[in-house]
Amino acid sequence: MIRIPFNVPPYIGKEDKYLKQAIDSRKICGDGEFTKRCNSKFEEITGSNKVLMTTSGTSALEMAALLADIKPGDEVIMPSYTFVSTANAFVLRGAVIVFVDIRPDTMNINEALIEDAITEKTKAIVPVHYGGIACEMDTIRTIAKKHNLLVIEDAAQGVMSFYKGKALGSIGDLGCYSFHETKNYSMGEGGAILINNEKNVERAEIIREKGTNRTKFFRGQVDKYTWVDVGSSYLQSELNCAYLYGQIEYPHIINNDRLKSWKLYYKLLKPLADEGKIELPYIPQECTHNAHMFYIKAKDLDERSKLISYLKDNGVGAVFHYIPLHTSPAGKQFGRFHGEDIYTTKESERLLRLPMYYGLKENDINYIVEKVYGFYR
Ligand SMILES: *Cc1c(COP(=O)(O)O)cnc(C)c1O
């Protein structure tokens, strides 16, 4: 029987060469040659002031919470429809999470609801660019400016996505990327933080290096290094960066391949959407996306469950994700939902992700789509 997995970790064939180079260099801890190459490649792609590689997207978010100086009782606004790390990073600093509803068209935070959720305790807004499709960043930045709040972008899924020509992650004060094996570009486990304000760069380097000024020491700016601030070990090994560099040296190889698959899905499923059977993703005009995911929406939870098992019986790995955080045990403990949950729960229950990875074959997409039609006929 045909078996099409939901995800295959990206591998384009250049990773081996760079891994071998890293091994031969006899330097495999952090901040060697490949870390530097990744840093500068991402600075070039994003136009960000400074990009630092981290051990995960989660640790990039934790660094952002430290840099934002989040204190116990501070409030942080974000969507409930997101991965746990978006919230955890701030909960670790004692913050209260204030969830607001999403827009049904992009599944992103509804920018029109943010201002009403602001109190005198609010410190930051955390837009999550779902599926690599940007939140309405102009509006979010205007609100943040007016109320003197930080904007921290969870762009874990948004590498090589743009909003009005600006790279996701480079628009707010801080941005976070993930290179987990389920993301477009991967190093197994890994991430990056984008520091878009010069004034945060030095402190970011310190926090990432266990709270020491070791980075300055390596640059010869101080003659011994010491403990100067809070911090942790957020820097990844050279081996991870060598693997990743194989993919991001020419990032369009992966990007074009994924976009091709995405467009084929869209084209083939459009008639079914026109019949009103399913809904397809919506890409706002301002957004250039990276084909991070292809999802469809079924009528409701029941129909989605049946479709997932139908696809499974036919060898296709389709999944759903994100139980809205405000309905989870920890979400209830550490956060509150501001306003009414009109779309978060309802839309999350309808969404189903189809297989999407680098190297997904056209024939496989044809087969998957045929099965989706089969289900609805
Ligand atoms: C993947 C992801 C993360 C976490 O990244 P890790 O590298 O797995 O720690 C955070 N937020 C979102 C929206 C993600 O998709």
Side-chain angles (χ1 to χ4, degrees):
M1 189 174 84
I2 290 185
R3 288 218 156 274
I4 307 168
F6 170 68
N7 180 56
V8 177
Y11 170 73
I12 66 166
K14 291 172 177 242
E15 297 85 346
D16 312 59
K17 185 178 95 188
Y18 292 133
L19 260 173
K20 182 75 171 53
Q21 270 182 37
I23 294 165
D24 291 344
S25 75
R26 294 290 181 270
K27 168 141 178 93
I28 59 170
C29 68
D31 284 343
E33 186 53 33
F34 284 103
T35 309
K36 286 191 194 118
R37 285 201 210 173
C38 286
N39 290 344
S40 23
K41 189 70 200 180
F42 284 118
E43 283 160 18
E44 177 195 316
I45 293 171
T46 64
S48 172
N49 210 346
K50 188 83 187 170
V51 179
L52 295 173
M53 305 303 296
T54 62
T55 47
S56 64
T58 301
S59 50
L61 285 158
E62 287 181 25
M63 278 187 68
L66 282 165
L67 280 165
D69 255 326
I70 302 296
K71 297 278 190 297
D74 287 349
E75 293 180 358
V76 176
I77 297 173
M78 66 179 66
S80 168
Y81 186 66
T82 182
F83 188 59
V84 292
S85 295
T86 319
N88 253 331
F90 298 92
V91 169
L92 280 167
R93 308 260 67 79
V96 174
I97 308 299
V98 178
F99 299 110
V100 304
D101 209 8
I102 53 168
R103 297 166 40 153
D105 57 354
T106 56
M107 304 298 282
N108 282 333
I109 190 166
N110 185 341
E111 67 278 0
L113 303 176
I114 293 174
E115 202 157 15
D116 194 55
I118 295 173
T119 71
E120 70 273 19
K121 290 183 182 158
T122 309
K123 265 297 210 31
I125 306 170
V126 186
V128 179
H129 304 298
Y130 184 70
I133 295 155
C135 300
E136 191 19 63
M137 291 306 287
D138 276 354
T139 310
I140 292 173
R141 285 215 324 175
T142 306
I143 295 167
K145 206 165 168 200
K146 182 171 155 200
H147 297 273
N148 201 17
L149 306 174
L150 290 166
V151 176
I152 299 168
E153 298 176 73
D154 183 340
Q157 304 173 5
V159 182
M160 288 291 284
S161 280
F162 299 84
Y163 169 82
K164 298 189 177 173
K166 291 198 196 93
L168 302 194
S170 76
I171 304 164
D173 298 275
L174 297 159
C176 302
Y177 282 171
S178 167
F179 304 111
H180 185 260
E181 72 164 36
T182 52
K183 302 303 199 284
N184 293 24
Y185 304 88
S186 183
M187 52 204 242
E189 299 278 356
I193 181 163
L194 285 72
I195 299 128
N196 304 322
N197 265 334
E198 179 60 38
K199 69 169 180 16
N200 285 322
V201 172
E202 187 178 331
R203 184 146 190 256
E205 288 177 339
I206 289 168
I207 287 171
R208 179 167 166 273
E209 268 281 19
K210 300 102 183 162
T212 73
N213 57 355
R214 186 148 78 169
T215 310
K216 267 189 153 176
F217 171 72
F218 283 138
R219 282 201 295 256
Q221 291 166 323
V222 289
D223 52 16
K224 53 180 183 299
Y225 78 84
T226 184
W227 185 19
V228 294
D229 201 342
V230 293
S232 190
S233 184
Y234 290 124
L235 78 168
Q236 78 316 309
S237 120
E238 268 292 280
L239 299 176
N240 296 45
C241 278
Y243 187 93
L244 178 68
Y245 190 69
Q247 296 168 15
I248 57 147
E249 186 179 16
Y250 302 106
H252 288 292
I253 296 174
I254 286 180
N255 207 40
N256 290 344
D257 181 81
R258 296 185 74 111
L259 281 165
K260 198 174 92 210
S261 297
W262 197 99
K263 285 173 186 157
L264 184 59
Y265 267 132
Y266 195 94
K267 187 181 95 185
L268 296 175
L269 287 166
K270 184 80 171 39
L272 197 59
D274 290 342
E275 281 176 43
K277 294 280 201 292
I278 58 168
E279 273 175 44
L280 295 178
Y282 163 69
I283 315 286
Q285 182 117 63
E286 303 77 30
C287 301
T288 311
H289 74 110
N290 61 357
H292 173 64
M293 88 172 66
F294 196 92
Y295 68 75
I296 61 176
K297 283 183 187 168
K299 188 170 82 232
D300 53 24
L301 179 60
D302 182 54
E303 187 179 281
R304 180 185 72 178
S305 307
K306 286 179 180 141
L307 178 52
I308 288 178
S309 49
Y310 180 83
L311 290 172
K312 187 159 170 253
D313 291 343
N314 284 283
V316 177
V319 302
F320 68 89
H321 66 166
Y322 301 157
I323 306 293
L325 297 183
H326 74 285
T327 66
S328 70
K332 284 179 194 157
Q333 189 183 342
F334 300 118
R336 65 165 188 269
F337 198 96
H338 182 86
E340 204 185 330
D341 170 10
I342 299 174
Y343 295 114
T344 301
T345 299
K346 183 165 147 262
E347 297 300 303
S348 74
E349 288 177 345
R350 302 171 57 205
L351 187 142
L352 177 159
R353 303 171 65 188
L354 295 173
M356 173 57 88
Y357 47 85
Y358 172 76
L360 177 59
K361 292 191 189 65
E362 196 176 318
N363 275 346
D364 287 347
I365 296 175
N366 285 325
Y367 175 84
I368 296 161
V369 168
E370 198 182 287
K371 293 301 159 195
V372 174
Y373 275 87
F375 174 82
Y376 282 101
R377 292 289 174 251

